[in-house]
Amino acid sequence: MSRVVTSRKQRMPPASPLEIMMREYLRALAVQNYSEYTISNREFHLVSFIQWCQERGVADPVEVTRHPRTLSALSVPLSEEERRADELPFAALAPGSPADVVRWMTRRNHLLHNPASELELPRLGQPLPRNILSAREVEQILQLCNIDDTIGLRDRAVMEVLYSTGMRRGEVVALKLYDLSFDRGVLLVRQGKGKKDRYVPIGERAIAWLEKYIREARPQLAAEPDDMTVFLTAQGEPFSRDHMTSNVKARIDAAKLGKTGACISSGTRWPR
């Protein structure tokens, strides 16, 4: 089976000084060794914020200081009614992204002063997951995987690892064969949260399913050059985070439990 080669979408040149500044800010994050996921997340929020600014004639970084609504977007989230009336996307209001880039512009003298320096950003809440699967519900989901099928066996192994270790989806998709220490009962997570390495314990049952997948299913999915990634798609490629999420979500939905969610970073959590 050969890999499917996809061409990377070319990035359009920046259309405004705000976009130029955003690109420079994102490059600075890369130099500071922020993770690709963090940089991508910051870019997502900033693009929404910049689009909102441009729709109101704010295209230059210095104009952010003179526009009252952009200032409010850096501080306190609007009410639902205010957001609908002003059409400001909620993602652009997330404390951190727009405010961080304004602070960054000020430190580099693109702005004479930070207009939001005296504003107190709201503390973000940490709500519990909406849905937590019981052990019985997890078993119901796992039993639906057809382990006689290559993809079914792979998905069973993926969910067994998630269930046993509580690893983040990005950590699971990044696992390499040489990160597995079955004799010690641990997996090595490289560059996890905060770009830190750590060992994660894994149970005997999950090890058994992982070994079965590696022995029986992975050889049918792998294609040269093999980069030793543990979990592979039907095309023989490593999973993306979103692909992993949608894959697990489909398995949960198929069980018809009346609960939505996906990997441990989403609304539904596997019990630890």
Side-chain angles (χ1 to χ4, degrees):
M1 182 183 295
S2 60
R3 293 181 185 272
V4 176
V5 179
T6 56
S7 58
R8 179 173 293 181
K9 185 178 179 181
Q10 291 187 345
R11 176 175 288 184
M12 298 296 292
S16 71
L18 267 177
E19 290 189 31
I20 294 174
M21 198 63 62
M22 178 190 73
R23 300 278 178 86
E24 188 178 339
Y25 169 69
L26 296 175
R27 283 194 295 270
L29 294 182
V31 170
Q32 296 175 57
N33 206 28
Y34 279 74
S35 70
E36 291 183 8
Y37 181 73
T38 296
I39 294 172
S40 176
N41 192 46
R42 294 283 180 91
E43 181 177 14
F44 174 80
H45 291 306
L46 285 171
V47 166
S48 298
F49 180 73
I50 289 172
Q51 181 181 359
W52 181 87
C53 289
Q54 291 174 339
E55 289 171 354
R56 286 151 184 82
V58 179
D60 195 280
V62 296
E63 294 176 332
V64 172
T65 66
R66 299 197 300 265
H67 199 284
R69 296 303 283 171
T70 58
L71 187 60
S72 70
L74 298 174
S75 56
V76 181
L78 306 177
S79 66
E80 185 69 26
E81 293 74 14
E82 288 173 322
R83 277 195 281 113
R84 281 201 297 264
D86 207 54
E87 302 174 353
L88 180 60
F90 185 76
L93 293 171
S97 294
D100 280 348
V101 76
V102 169
R103 283 194 293 269
W104 177 83
M105 288 190 295
T106 305
R107 287 197 300 268
R108 281 157 180 76
N109 297 319
H110 297 301
L111 296 177
L112 293 179
H113 69 282
N114 182 356
S117 60
E118 301 302 322
L119 295 174
E120 294 185 8
L121 295 177
R123 294 180 60 132
L124 293 177
Q126 294 182 327
L128 293 172
R130 294 186 300 275
N131 301 311
I132 297 180
L133 297 172
S134 66
R136 181 186 61 79
E137 290 170 330
V138 171
E139 289 295 335
Q140 186 175 338
I141 296 168
L142 295 174
Q143 292 299 324
L144 290 178
C145 294
N146 179 10
I147 60 173
D148 295 324
D149 174 71
T150 300
I151 300 301
L153 179 54
R154 178 205 64 193
D155 289 352
R156 176 67 183 260
V158 166
M159 290 189 290
E160 290 282 356
V161 170
L162 285 168
Y163 184 15
S164 177
T165 66
M167 292 169 62
R168 296 173 176 85
R169 58 177 183 170
E171 296 169 346
V172 172
V173 302
L175 273 177
K176 303 292 185 181
L177 292 175
Y178 45 77
D179 294 330
L180 313 179
S181 299
F182 294 146
D183 57 332
R184 299 168 56 196
V186 296
L187 307 180
L188 174 59
V189 175
R190 299 177 186 271
Q191 301 289 284
K193 182 75 171 178
K195 305 206 78 171
K196 297 177 181 178
D197 296 345
R198 74 181 193 281
Y199 284 104
V200 176
I202 182 172
E204 293 182 0
R205 169 172 144 166
I207 289 176
W209 282 105
L210 196 46
E211 288 181 322
K212 182 177 177 63
Y213 157 74
I214 293 171
R215 183 175 62 252
E216 300 177 14
R218 190 182 182 281
Q220 300 182 48
L221 298 173
E224 296 299 333
D226 187 351
D227 69 354
M228 308 296 283
T229 298
V230 175
F231 294 113
L232 301 173
T233 67
Q235 289 73 38
E237 298 176 333
F239 277 87
S240 68
R241 286 182 174 88
D242 290 343
H243 190 178
M244 177 67 72
T245 296
S246 62
N247 211 52
V248 175
K249 181 179 186 302
R251 293 292 183 179
I252 295 175
D253 291 344
K256 298 180 180 179
L257 300 173
K259 294 182 177 181
T260 59
C263 300
I264 195 166
S265 58
S266 303
T268 299
R269 285 186 182 258
W270 300 92
R272 296 289 296 274

